[in-house]
C-alpha cells in the first residue's frame, strides 16, 4: 500500500468521520473498573529522549504519551505527491488533527471510512528501522519549520492489522523539536517538545 494512501486513510479517519460515528468517546462506559496506572517515561530533557518517547508512544500505542510530546504549534508537512493526489487533505496537519488521527489509530478498534467501508483496526506498531542520520541542528529562517531544532531519521514502520495486510511506511522523516526552559529540583533544564515533522517517505510500496 502506498504511503500516500496510508496518510489519506489517517486523514480521512481524523477529519471526515462524523462525530456520531467516532470509535472513541469520553462517554464510553468502561464498566466502572479503574485501569491500571500506565508506566511513566523519562521526561524529554534532550532531543534524543524526545525521540525515544516518540518511539515508545507508537510501539505501546499510547495516546497519552503521544499527546504530551506535541508542542501547541505542531504541524506535519505533507509531501507534494500527497497534496496533489488528495487536495482535500491540505498541505499540512496541525496538532488537533494529528491527535484525532492517533486517538483512533491507537484505539485498536476498526472504523468506517467516509464511503461506509470498514477500515481494519491496527493491532500493533513496530519500528524495523528508526535511525538518526544527522546530528541535531538549528533550522534556518527559510526552513519549512524555522527557528527549531531538526534531525533526519531513516524509518521503516510496520502497522499490523488482524485479518488484513500489514501497512509499511519506508523512507525518511525530518523531525523538528522546540525547547523551553524549566526548573526541576532547583536545577534549570530544557524540556523538549516535537514541533513538527516533514514527510519524506517513499511514495511507492
Amino acid at each position: 500500500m502506498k504511503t500516500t494512501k496510508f496518510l489519506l486513510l489517517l486523514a480521512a479517519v481524523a477529519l471526515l468521520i462524523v462525530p456520531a460515528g467516532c470509535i472513541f468517546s469520553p462517554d464510553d462506559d468502561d464498566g466502572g473498573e479503574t485501569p491500571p496506572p500506565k508506566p511513566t517515561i523519562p521526561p524529554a530533557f534532550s532531543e534524543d529522549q524526545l525521540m525515544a518517547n516518540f518511539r515508545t508512544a507508537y510501539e505501546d500505542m499510547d495516546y497519552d504519551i503521544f499527546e504530551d510530546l506535541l508542542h501547541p504549534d505542531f504541524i506535519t508537512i505533507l509531501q507534494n505527491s500527497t497534496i496533489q493526489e488528495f487536495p482535500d487533505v491540505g498541505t499540512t496537519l496541525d496538532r488537533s488533527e494529528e491527535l484525532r488521527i492517533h486517538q483512533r489509530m491507537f484505539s485498536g478498534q476498526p472504523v468506517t471510512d467516509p464511503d461506509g467501508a470498514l477500515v481494519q483496526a491496527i493491532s500493533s506498531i513496530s519500528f524495523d528501522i528508526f535511525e538518526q542520520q544527522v546530528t541535531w541542528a538549528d533550522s534556518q529562517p527559510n526552513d519549512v519549520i524555522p527557528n527549531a531544532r531538526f534531525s533526519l531519521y531513516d524509518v521503516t514502520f510496520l502497522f499490523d492489522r488482524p485479518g488484513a495486510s500489514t501497512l509499511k511506511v519506508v523512507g525518511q522523516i525530518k523531525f523538528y523539536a522546540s525547547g523551553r526552559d524549566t526548573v526541576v529540583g532547583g536545577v534549570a533544564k530544557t524540556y523538549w517538545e516535537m514541533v513538527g515533522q516533514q514527510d519524506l517517505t517513499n511514495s511507492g510500496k
Side-chain angles (χ1 to χ4, degrees):
M1 182 177 185
K2 289 185 178 181
T3 302
T4 53
K5 294 188 182 300
F6 177 61
L7 285 169
L8 176 65
L9 180 150
L10 296 183
V13 169
L15 302 176
L16 302 178
I17 294 177
V18 296
C22 291
I23 61 171
F24 180 92
S25 170
D27 297 325
D28 287 348
D29 183 8
D30 62 4
E33 297 180 2
T34 302
K38 294 183 178 181
T40 59
I41 57 172
F45 291 140
S46 69
E47 297 104 322
D48 292 339
Q49 186 61 57
L50 173 67
M51 299 312 300
N53 293 349
F54 172 85
R55 180 169 186 165
T56 296
Y58 265 72
E59 293 186 329
D60 291 355
M61 295 177 63
D62 192 313
Y63 173 81
D64 293 333
I65 293 176
F66 182 78
E67 182 180 24
D68 287 343
L69 297 177
L70 302 190
H71 187 276
D73 297 329
F74 178 91
I75 60 169
T76 293
I77 310 295
L78 301 177
Q79 299 187 51
N80 286 334
S81 59
T82 306
I83 297 165
Q84 292 168 6
E85 190 170 359
F86 308 111
D88 289 344
V89 174
T91 60
T92 64
L93 299 173
D94 65 19
R95 185 179 189 273
S96 62
E97 291 165 343
E98 283 285 2
L99 290 179
R100 287 198 297 272
I101 290 170
H102 286 77
Q103 196 173 64
R104 291 163 175 77
M105 184 168 66
F106 291 167
S107 73
Q109 300 294 323
V111 297
T112 302
D113 73 13
D115 296 325
L118 185 69
V119 178
Q120 286 291 343
I122 293 172
S123 59
S124 66
I125 302 172
S126 58
F127 287 25
D128 269 9
I129 299 174
F130 193 59
E131 297 176 352
Q132 186 176 5
Q133 298 304 300
V134 297
T135 58
W136 288 94
D138 295 332
S139 62
Q140 300 302 308
N142 61 347
D143 199 307
V144 291
I145 300 179
N147 307 316
R149 298 277 288 171
F150 76 90
S151 187
L152 186 68
Y153 280 70
D154 280 347
V155 303
T156 299
F157 300 156
L158 300 178
F159 297 79
D160 293 324
R161 303 180 299 164
S165 61
T166 296
L167 303 176
K168 188 175 184 179
V169 175
V170 179
Q172 293 186 323
I173 299 177
K174 191 175 181 181
F175 291 99
Y176 293 82
S178 177
R180 56 180 172 85
D181 295 334
T182 187
V183 177
V184 179
V187 178
K189 293 180 178 290
T190 300
Y191 183 80
W192 293 93
E193 295 172 303
M194 190 174 291
V195 74
Q197 59 181 344
Q198 183 179 13
D199 177 22
L200 302 172
T201 54
N202 300 332
S203 59
K205 294 182 179 178

